[in-house]
């Protein structure tokens, strides 16, 4: 099972509170809802529907799980296929505080440390073929990146600078290159990227015999 991270980000890397003013106010964040104006983009709907068409299980941080439960978990419309798919699970929640989740189909992972988390997630990845999807859950996603467990990143980049808030990668993140395996631009200016991790490459630029010369290390 491959692990994908599916996340919305601004040009300056902010991933906090994209869906509403009260969604995530930690740290005094006041710019919540910065992504909402772009959700009417028809390409956005098409792309996100495609994400959920591939999901076999969800891996979420506690904050994102609570948001999913408060919204998707309360939808009773039988014609809402997306809500039905999310409600079906299974969902795995990484949390040291969640004990008895109300949402059926939810399993709590309470790792002792990052090594334990890596082992628990690898157990999920060693299961049947399919896709284990992380949505939002920026801190969890960053940790999974550092542990080398992410197979696919799916980013939706909004053409805005939010200016403050939690970012996807903080200083000290594990260096990595990426191969862009798919890209698309929406009608609103959203940029959709599918990325697969690759080794970070380095190079040098110099002037040799009066001409620019670039050397890239393998």
């Amino acid at each position: 099972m491959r692990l994908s991270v599916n996340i919305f980000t601004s040009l300056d890397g902010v991933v906090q509170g994209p869906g509403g003013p009260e969604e995530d106010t930690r740290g005094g964040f006041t710019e919540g809802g910065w992504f909402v104006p772009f959700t009417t983009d028809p390409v956005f709907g098409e792309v996100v529907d495609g994400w959920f068409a591939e999901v076999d299980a969800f891996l979420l941080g506690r904050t994102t799980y609570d948001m999913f439960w408060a919204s998707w978990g309360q939808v009773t419309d039988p014609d809402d296929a997306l809500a039905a798919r999310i409600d079906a699970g299974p969902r795995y929640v990484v949390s040291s505080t969640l004990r008895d989740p109300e949402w059926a189909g939810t399993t709590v992972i309470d790792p002792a440390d990052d090594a334990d988390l890596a082992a628990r997630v690898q157990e999920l990845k060693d299961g049947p073929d399919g896709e284990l999807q992380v949505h939002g859950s920026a801190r969890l996603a960053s940790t999974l990146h550092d542990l080398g467990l992410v197979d696919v990143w799916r980013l939706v980049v909004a053409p805005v600078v939010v200016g403050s808030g939690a970012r996807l990668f903080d200083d000290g993140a594990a260096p990595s290159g990426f191969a862009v395996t798919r890209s698309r631009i929406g009608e609103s200016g959203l940029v959709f990227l599918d990325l697969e991790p690759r080794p970070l490459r380095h190079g040098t630029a110099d002037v040799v015999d009066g001409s620019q010369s670039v050397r890239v290390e393998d």
Side-chain angles (χ1 to χ4, degrees):
M1 180 174 284
R2 69 176 183 170
L3 190 155
S4 70
V5 172
N6 307 264
I7 201 163
F8 311 145
T9 178
S10 66
L11 287 177
D12 55 339
V14 174
V15 293
Q16 186 171 358
E22 304 302 322
E23 181 181 68
D24 185 355
T25 59
R26 290 175 297 173
F29 185 65
T30 59
E31 300 296 337
W34 54 268
F35 191 85
V36 174
F38 300 97
T39 58
T40 57
D41 188 322
V43 179
F44 171 76
E46 180 183 337
V47 168
V48 172
D49 285 349
W51 293 354
F52 285 101
E54 297 190 31
V55 67
D56 294 280
F58 298 92
L59 178 64
L60 306 172
R62 174 66 189 272
T63 299
T64 301
Y65 167 79
D66 286 344
M67 292 176 188
F68 269 40
W69 169 235
S71 55
W72 299 109
Q74 310 308 312
V75 176
T76 57
D77 182 357
D79 295 325
D80 191 326
L82 180 55
R85 182 64 197 90
I86 295 173
D87 184 59
R91 288 169 303 281
Y92 300 90
V93 184
V94 179
S95 174
S96 61
T97 56
L98 183 62
R99 291 290 178 262
D100 299 305
E102 298 180 58
W103 203 354
T106 299
T107 299
V108 177
I109 297 175
D110 182 5
D113 51 30
D114 284 354
D116 187 27
L117 174 63
R120 302 281 291 276
V121 173
Q122 189 60 54
E123 286 179 7
L124 297 176
K125 294 184 65 176
D126 289 341
D129 289 341
E131 185 162 299
L132 177 65
Q133 290 189 357
V134 176
H135 290 268
S137 309
R139 185 168 62 177
L140 172 61
S142 180
T143 300
L144 295 172
H145 164 78
D146 290 342
L147 294 171
L149 291 169
V150 181
D151 299 301
V152 181
W153 290 87
R154 298 195 185 102
L155 303 183
V156 183
V157 185
V160 296
V161 171
V162 178
S164 64
R167 286 171 166 78
L168 181 55
F169 297 111
D170 293 324
D171 288 347
S176 178
F178 296 91
V180 179
T181 59
R182 185 181 303 173
S183 64
R184 192 171 178 183
I185 299 177
E187 295 178 7
S188 64
L190 288 175
V191 178
F192 304 88
L193 296 171
D194 286 16
L195 308 164
E196 294 183 359
R198 296 288 190 272
L200 179 63
R201 304 174 71 194
H202 302 83
T204 58
D206 206 346
V207 177
V208 178
D209 298 328
S211 300
Q212 289 284 347
S213 175
V214 175
R215 185 176 74 253
V216 178
E217 301 173 4
D218 293 325

mmCIF file with all atom_site columns, all heavy atoms in Angstrom, residues 14 17 42 70 99 103 141 149 153 155 159 162 209 212:
data_model
loop_
_atom_site.group_PDB
_atom_site.id
_atom_site.type_symbol
_atom_site.label_atom_id
_atom_site.label_alt_id
_atom_site.label_comp_id
_atom_site.label_asym_id
_atom_site.label_entity_id
_atom_site.label_seq_id
_atom_site.pdbx_PDB_ins_code
_atom_site.Cartn_x
_atom_site.Cartn_y
_atom_site.Cartn_z
_atom_site.occupancy
_atom_site.B_iso_or_equiv
_atom_site.pdbx_formal_charge
_atom_site.auth_seq_id
_atom_site.auth_comp_id
_atom_site.auth_asym_id
_atom_site.auth_atom_id
_atom_site.pdbx_PDB_model_num
ATOM 1   N N   . VAL A 1 14  ? 2.005   28.040 3.901   1.00 0.00 ? 14  VAL A N   1
ATOM 2   C CA  . VAL A 1 14  ? 1.070   27.922 5.024   1.00 0.00 ? 14  VAL A CA  1
ATOM 3   C C   . VAL A 1 14  ? 0.010   26.873 4.699   1.00 0.00 ? 14  VAL A C   1
ATOM 4   O O   . VAL A 1 14  ? -0.562  26.860 3.604   1.00 0.00 ? 14  VAL A O   1
ATOM 5   C CB  . VAL A 1 14  ? 0.402   29.275 5.328   1.00 0.00 ? 14  VAL A CB  1
ATOM 6   C CG1 . VAL A 1 14  ? -0.679  29.121 6.407   1.00 0.00 ? 14  VAL A CG1 1
ATOM 7   C CG2 . VAL A 1 14  ? 1.449   30.287 5.791   1.00 0.00 ? 14  VAL A CG2 1
ATOM 8   N N   . GLY A 1 17  ? -5.550  26.163 8.679   1.00 0.00 ? 17  GLY A N   1
ATOM 9   C CA  . GLY A 1 17  ? -6.874  26.763 8.561   1.00 0.00 ? 17  GLY A CA  1
ATOM 10  C C   . GLY A 1 17  ? -7.330  27.125 7.168   1.00 0.00 ? 17  GLY A C   1
ATOM 11  O O   . GLY A 1 17  ? -7.930  28.192 6.993   1.00 0.00 ? 17  GLY A O   1
ATOM 12  N N   . PRO A 1 42  ? -13.765 24.481 -11.004 1.00 0.00 ? 42  PRO A N   1
ATOM 13  C CA  . PRO A 1 42  ? -14.216 23.150 -11.421 1.00 0.00 ? 42  PRO A CA  1
ATOM 14  C C   . PRO A 1 42  ? -13.089 22.125 -11.472 1.00 0.00 ? 42  PRO A C   1
ATOM 15  O O   . PRO A 1 42  ? -13.315 20.931 -11.259 1.00 0.00 ? 42  PRO A O   1
ATOM 16  C CB  . PRO A 1 42  ? -14.825 23.393 -12.802 1.00 0.00 ? 42  PRO A CB  1
ATOM 17  C CG  . PRO A 1 42  ? -14.249 24.693 -13.266 1.00 0.00 ? 42  PRO A CG  1
ATOM 18  C CD  . PRO A 1 42  ? -14.027 25.503 -12.037 1.00 0.00 ? 42  PRO A CD  1
ATOM 19  N N   . ALA A 1 70  ? -16.406 16.202 12.658  1.00 0.00 ? 70  ALA A N   1
ATOM 20  C CA  . ALA A 1 70  ? -17.384 17.267 12.849  1.00 0.00 ? 70  ALA A CA  1
ATOM 21  C C   . ALA A 1 70  ? -18.122 17.617 11.565  1.00 0.00 ? 70  ALA A C   1
ATOM 22  O O   . ALA A 1 70  ? -19.219 18.176 11.612  1.00 0.00 ? 70  ALA A O   1
ATOM 23  C CB  . ALA A 1 70  ? -16.707 18.516 13.410  1.00 0.00 ? 70  ALA A CB  1
ATOM 24  N N   . ARG A 1 99  ? -8.943  8.398  23.043  1.00 0.00 ? 99  ARG A N   1
ATOM 25  C CA  . ARG A 1 99  ? -9.041  7.075  23.635  1.00 0.00 ? 99  ARG A CA  1
ATOM 26  C C   . ARG A 1 99  ? -10.168 6.232  23.046  1.00 0.00 ? 99  ARG A C   1
ATOM 27  O O   . ARG A 1 99  ? -9.969  5.102  22.652  1.00 0.00 ? 99  ARG A O   1
ATOM 28  C CB  . ARG A 1 99  ? -9.221  7.211  25.159  1.00 0.00 ? 99  ARG A CB  1
ATOM 29  C CG  . ARG A 1 99  ? -7.978  7.740  25.867  1.00 0.00 ? 99  ARG A CG  1
ATOM 30  C CD  . ARG A 1 99  ? -6.869  6.695  25.849  1.00 0.00 ? 99  ARG A CD  1
ATOM 31  N NE  . ARG A 1 99  ? -5.640  7.188  26.486  1.00 0.00 ? 99  ARG A NE  1
ATOM 32  C CZ  . ARG A 1 99  ? -4.600  7.683  25.812  1.00 0.00 ? 99  ARG A CZ  1
ATOM 33  N NH1 . ARG A 1 99  ? -4.638  7.749  24.500  1.00 0.00 ? 99  ARG A NH1 1
ATOM 34  N NH2 . ARG A 1 99  ? -3.523  8.108  26.450  1.00 0.00 ? 99  ARG A NH2 1
ATOM 35  N N   . TRP A 1 103 ? -16.447 7.670  16.177  1.00 0.00 ? 103 TRP A N   1
ATOM 36  C CA  . TRP A 1 103 ? -16.645 7.359  14.758  1.00 0.00 ? 103 TRP A CA  1
ATOM 37  C C   . TRP A 1 103 ? -16.259 5.909  14.498  1.00 0.00 ? 103 TRP A C   1
ATOM 38  O O   . TRP A 1 103 ? -15.100 5.520  14.641  1.00 0.00 ? 103 TRP A O   1
ATOM 39  C CB  . TRP A 1 103 ? -15.786 8.299  13.930  1.00 0.00 ? 103 TRP A CB  1
ATOM 40  C CG  . TRP A 1 103 ? -16.242 8.507  12.520  1.00 0.00 ? 103 TRP A CG  1
ATOM 41  C CD1 . TRP A 1 103 ? -17.261 7.873  11.872  1.00 0.00 ? 103 TRP A CD1 1
ATOM 42  C CD2 . TRP A 1 103 ? -15.701 9.436  11.589  1.00 0.00 ? 103 TRP A CD2 1
ATOM 43  N NE1 . TRP A 1 103 ? -17.395 8.332  10.592  1.00 0.00 ? 103 TRP A NE1 1
ATOM 44  C CE2 . TRP A 1 103 ? -16.438 9.300  10.395  1.00 0.00 ? 103 TRP A CE2 1
ATOM 45  C CE3 . TRP A 1 103 ? -14.651 10.360 11.653  1.00 0.00 ? 103 TRP A CE3 1
ATOM 46  C CZ2 . TRP A 1 103 ? -16.155 10.069 9.262   1.00 0.00 ? 103 TRP A CZ2 1
ATOM 47  C CZ3 . TRP A 1 103 ? -14.373 11.120 10.531  1.00 0.00 ? 103 TRP A CZ3 1
ATOM 48  C CH2 . TRP A 1 103 ? -15.118 10.977 9.353   1.00 0.00 ? 103 TRP A CH2 1
ATOM 49  N N   . ALA A 1 141 ? 2.276   14.766 8.536   1.00 0.00 ? 141 ALA A N   1
ATOM 50  C CA  . ALA A 1 141 ? 2.854   14.643 7.201   1.00 0.00 ? 141 ALA A CA  1
ATOM 51  C C   . ALA A 1 141 ? 4.340   14.960 7.211   1.00 0.00 ? 141 ALA A C   1
ATOM 52  O O   . ALA A 1 141 ? 5.147   14.277 6.571   1.00 0.00 ? 141 ALA A O   1
ATOM 53  C CB  . ALA A 1 141 ? 2.126   15.564 6.220   1.00 0.00 ? 141 ALA A CB  1
ATOM 54  N N   . LEU A 1 149 ? 8.611   7.855  4.663   1.00 0.00 ? 149 LEU A N   1
ATOM 55  C CA  . LEU A 1 149 ? 7.474   6.960  4.447   1.00 0.00 ? 149 LEU A CA  1
ATOM 56  C C   . LEU A 1 149 ? 6.493   7.443  3.393   1.00 0.00 ? 149 LEU A C   1
ATOM 57  O O   . LEU A 1 149 ? 5.575   6.701  3.019   1.00 0.00 ? 149 LEU A O   1
ATOM 58  C CB  . LEU A 1 149 ? 6.726   6.757  5.773   1.00 0.00 ? 149 LEU A CB  1
ATOM 59  C CG  . LEU A 1 149 ? 7.492   5.954  6.833   1.00 0.00 ? 149 LEU A CG  1
ATOM 60  C CD1 . LEU A 1 149 ? 6.781   6.056  8.180   1.00 0.00 ? 149 LEU A CD1 1
ATOM 61  C CD2 . LEU A 1 149 ? 7.625   4.500  6.407   1.00 0.00 ? 149 LEU A CD2 1
ATOM 62  N N   . TRP A 1 153 ? 3.236   12.899 -2.897  1.00 0.00 ? 153 TRP A N   1
ATOM 63  C CA  . TRP A 1 153 ? 2.696   14.163 -2.386  1.00 0.00 ? 153 TRP A CA  1
ATOM 64  C C   . TRP A 1 153 ? 1.746   14.726 -3.431  1.00 0.00 ? 153 TRP A C   1
ATOM 65  O O   . TRP A 1 153 ? 2.095   14.819 -4.603  1.00 0.00 ? 153 TRP A O   1
ATOM 66  C CB  . TRP A 1 153 ? 3.810   15.175 -2.145  1.00 0.00 ? 153 TRP A CB  1
ATOM 67  C CG  . TRP A 1 153 ? 4.712   14.858 -0.998  1.00 0.00 ? 153 TRP A CG  1
ATOM 68  C CD1 . TRP A 1 153 ? 5.827   14.071 -1.033  1.00 0.00 ? 153 TRP A CD1 1
ATOM 69  C CD2 . TRP A 1 153 ? 4.577   15.314 0.345   1.00 0.00 ? 153 TRP A CD2 1
ATOM 70  N NE1 . TRP A 1 153 ? 6.392   14.007 0.211   1.00 0.00 ? 153 TRP A NE1 1
ATOM 71  C CE2 . TRP A 1 153 ? 5.652   14.770 1.079   1.00 0.00 ? 153 TRP A CE2 1
ATOM 72  C CE3 . TRP A 1 153 ? 3.664   16.145 0.995   1.00 0.00 ? 153 TRP A CE3 1
ATOM 73  C CZ2 . TRP A 1 153 ? 5.833   15.011 2.428   1.00 0.00 ? 153 TRP A CZ2 1
ATOM 74  C CZ3 . TRP A 1 153 ? 3.847   16.394 2.345   1.00 0.00 ? 153 TRP A CZ3 1
ATOM 75  C CH2 . TRP A 1 153 ? 4.923   15.828 3.049   1.00 0.00 ? 153 TRP A CH2 1
ATOM 76  N N   . LEU A 1 155 ? -0.133  18.170 -3.883  1.00 0.00 ? 155 LEU A N   1
ATOM 77  C CA  . LEU A 1 155 ? -0.272  19.526 -3.364  1.00 0.00 ? 155 LEU A CA  1
ATOM 78  C C   . LEU A 1 155 ? -1.208  20.333 -4.250  1.00 0.00 ? 155 LEU A C   1
ATOM 79  O O   . LEU A 1 155 ? -1.143  20.244 -5.482  1.00 0.00 ? 155 LEU A O   1
ATOM 80  C CB  . LEU A 1 155 ? 1.091   20.225 -3.315  1.00 0.00 ? 155 LEU A CB  1
ATOM 81  C CG  . LEU A 1 155 ? 2.212   19.555 -2.518  1.00 0.00 ? 155 LEU A CG  1
ATOM 82  C CD1 . LEU A 1 155 ? 3.448   20.442 -2.525  1.00 0.00 ? 155 LEU A CD1 1
ATOM 83  C CD2 . LEU A 1 155 ? 1.779   19.254 -1.102  1.00 0.00 ? 155 LEU A CD2 1
ATOM 84  N N   . PRO A 1 159 ? -2.677  30.650 -5.194  1.00 0.00 ? 159 PRO A N   1
ATOM 85  C CA  . PRO A 1 159 ? -1.890  31.850 -5.500  1.00 0.00 ? 159 PRO A CA  1
ATOM 86  C C   . PRO A 1 159 ? -2.129  32.966 -4.487  1.00 0.00 ? 159 PRO A C   1
ATOM 87  O O   . PRO A 1 159 ? -2.645  34.033 -4.825  1.00 0.00 ? 159 PRO A O   1
ATOM 88  C CB  . PRO A 1 159 ? -2.368  32.227 -6.905  1.00 0.00 ? 159 PRO A CB  1
ATOM 89  C CG  . PRO A 1 159 ? -3.790  31.770 -6.955  1.00 0.00 ? 159 PRO A CG  1
ATOM 90  C CD  . PRO A 1 159 ? -3.822  30.508 -6.132  1.00 0.00 ? 159 PRO A CD  1
ATOM 91  N N   . VAL A 1 162 ? -0.200  34.000 2.729   1.00 0.00 ? 162 VAL A N   1
ATOM 92  C CA  . VAL A 1 162 ? -0.974  34.142 3.963   1.00 0.00 ? 162 VAL A CA  1
ATOM 93  C C   . VAL A 1 162 ? -0.190  34.931 5.013   1.00 0.00 ? 162 VAL A C   1
ATOM 94  O O   . VAL A 1 162 ? -0.760  35.689 5.782   1.00 0.00 ? 162 VAL A O   1
ATOM 95  C CB  . VAL A 1 162 ? -1.369  32.753 4.505   1.00 0.00 ? 162 VAL A CB  1
ATOM 96  C CG1 . VAL A 1 162 ? -2.140  32.882 5.819   1.00 0.00 ? 162 VAL A CG1 1
ATOM 97  C CG2 . VAL A 1 162 ? -2.214  32.005 3.473   1.00 0.00 ? 162 VAL A CG2 1
ATOM 98  N N   . ASP A 1 209 ? 36.394  29.338 -19.313 1.00 0.00 ? 209 ASP A N   1
ATOM 99  C CA  . ASP A 1 209 ? 36.814  29.818 -20.633 1.00 0.00 ? 209 ASP A CA  1
ATOM 100 C C   . ASP A 1 209 ? 35.846  30.837 -21.209 1.00 0.00 ? 209 ASP A C   1
ATOM 101 O O   . ASP A 1 209 ? 35.520  30.811 -22.416 1.00 0.00 ? 209 ASP A O   1
ATOM 102 C CB  . ASP A 1 209 ? 36.980  28.639 -21.613 1.00 0.00 ? 209 ASP A CB  1
ATOM 103 C CG  . ASP A 1 209 ? 38.065  27.668 -21.169 1.00 0.00 ? 209 ASP A CG  1
ATOM 104 O OD1 . ASP A 1 209 ? 39.049  28.134 -20.551 1.00 0.00 ? 209 ASP A OD1 1
ATOM 105 O OD2 . ASP A 1 209 ? 37.958  26.460 -21.454 1.00 0.00 ? 209 ASP A OD2 1
ATOM 106 N N   . GLN A 1 212 ? 29.407  30.325 -19.428 1.00 0.00 ? 212 GLN A N   1
ATOM 107 C CA  . GLN A 1 212 ? 28.753  29.759 -18.253 1.00 0.00 ? 212 GLN A CA  1
ATOM 108 C C   . GLN A 1 212 ? 28.825  28.228 -18.309 1.00 0.00 ? 212 GLN A C   1
ATOM 109 O O   . GLN A 1 212 ? 28.584  27.622 -19.340 1.00 0.00 ? 212 GLN A O   1
ATOM 110 C CB  . GLN A 1 212 ? 27.271  30.181 -18.216 1.00 0.00 ? 212 GLN A CB  1
ATOM 111 C CG  . GLN A 1 212 ? 27.064  31.651 -17.892 1.00 0.00 ? 212 GLN A CG  1
ATOM 112 C CD  . GLN A 1 212 ? 27.271  31.935 -16.406 1.00 0.00 ? 212 GLN A CD  1
ATOM 113 O OE1 . GLN A 1 212 ? 27.334  31.011 -15.589 1.00 0.00 ? 212 GLN A OE1 1
ATOM 114 N NE2 . GLN A 1 212 ? 27.421  33.214 -16.061 1.00 0.00 ? 212 GLN A NE2 1
#
